[in-house]
Amino acid sequence: MKKLVATAAVFGLVGVAAADFSGPYDQGNWSFQADDDGYVIWNAPAQVELFGTNSGTWYSYTTLTIATPAAGNFEFHWQYGSFDSPGYDEVGYIINGTYYFLADRNGISNGDVSVPVNAGDTIGWYVESYDGCCGESYIEITNFKGPIPAPGALALLGLAGLASRRRR
């Protein structure tokens, strides 16, 4: 029973929040994909803007994703903007390839999201263009917090493993 409690306590230290696009969430660690002329503007470490396509390809996606290094919460403030007619472009967030809708310019323009994720989960955002024309849309992300390993957590896990082996 003591071994189980100690292990749970160590695992409880693994996920803490990073407050911006730095460290494991630095710009160079993200994967950017665009079907056409979508693009990303980095104002790191505080903000990122993801823009959808406007080059004529129907149902195109622009995505920005990363694998989480620890379990914890995926948190951010988002703002949606569009130069297209309402309903032709949408934005949202992604967890493990599932797209979660946030807005398509029909009244909702910003908000806050906080969802739990596991270590290794892929998180990020998308912009989908239904018509591929008539103005691009974007999602602006601020107040991003992603889970990171607590300082020394991996060392503690190693020590717990050694203590467990010594008892045998």
Side-chain angles (χ1 to χ4, degrees), residues 9 96 117 165:
N96 293 327
V117 292
R165 291 183 100 178

mmCIF file of all heavy atoms in Angstrom, residues 9 96 117 165:
data_model
loop_
_atom_site.group_PDB
_atom_site.id
_atom_site.type_symbol
_atom_site.label_atom_id
_atom_site.label_comp_id
_atom_site.label_asym_id
_atom_site.label_seq_id
_atom_site.Cartn_x
_atom_site.Cartn_y
_atom_site.Cartn_z
ATOM 1 N N ALA A 9 1.746 9.785 -5.605
ATOM 2 C CA ALA A 9 2.229 11.120 -5.261
ATOM 3 C C ALA A 9 3.232 11.617 -6.294
ATOM 4 O O ALA A 9 3.212 12.785 -6.687
ATOM 5 C CB ALA A 9 2.855 11.114 -3.869
ATOM 6 N N ASN A 96 -5.971 14.936 -30.523
ATOM 7 C CA ASN A 96 -5.788 13.603 -31.103
ATOM 8 C C ASN A 96 -6.579 13.406 -32.397
ATOM 9 O O ASN A 96 -7.224 12.376 -32.595
ATOM 10 C CB ASN A 96 -6.148 12.519 -30.084
ATOM 11 C CG ASN A 96 -5.182 12.489 -28.935
ATOM 12 O OD1 ASN A 96 -4.004 12.766 -29.088
ATOM 13 N ND2 ASN A 96 -5.691 12.174 -27.752
ATOM 14 N N VAL A 117 -5.837 16.755 -20.867
ATOM 15 C CA VAL A 117 -5.180 15.917 -21.872
ATOM 16 C C VAL A 117 -4.180 15.009 -21.174
ATOM 17 O O VAL A 117 -3.758 15.267 -20.049
ATOM 18 C CB VAL A 117 -4.472 16.766 -22.956
ATOM 19 C CG1 VAL A 117 -5.493 17.515 -23.802
ATOM 20 C CG2 VAL A 117 -3.462 17.721 -22.361
ATOM 21 N N ARG A 165 12.978 -1.454 -6.279
ATOM 22 C CA ARG A 165 13.859 -2.595 -6.578
ATOM 23 C C ARG A 165 14.627 -3.026 -5.319
ATOM 24 O O ARG A 165 14.874 -4.204 -5.127
ATOM 25 C CB ARG A 165 14.846 -2.237 -7.661
ATOM 26 C CG ARG A 165 14.166 -2.053 -9.007
ATOM 27 C CD ARG A 165 15.166 -1.768 -10.044
ATOM 28 N NE ARG A 165 15.394 -3.027 -10.762
ATOM 29 C CZ ARG A 165 16.182 -3.163 -11.776
ATOM 30 N NH1 ARG A 165 16.874 -2.141 -12.206
ATOM 31 N NH2 ARG A 165 16.318 -4.312 -12.388
#
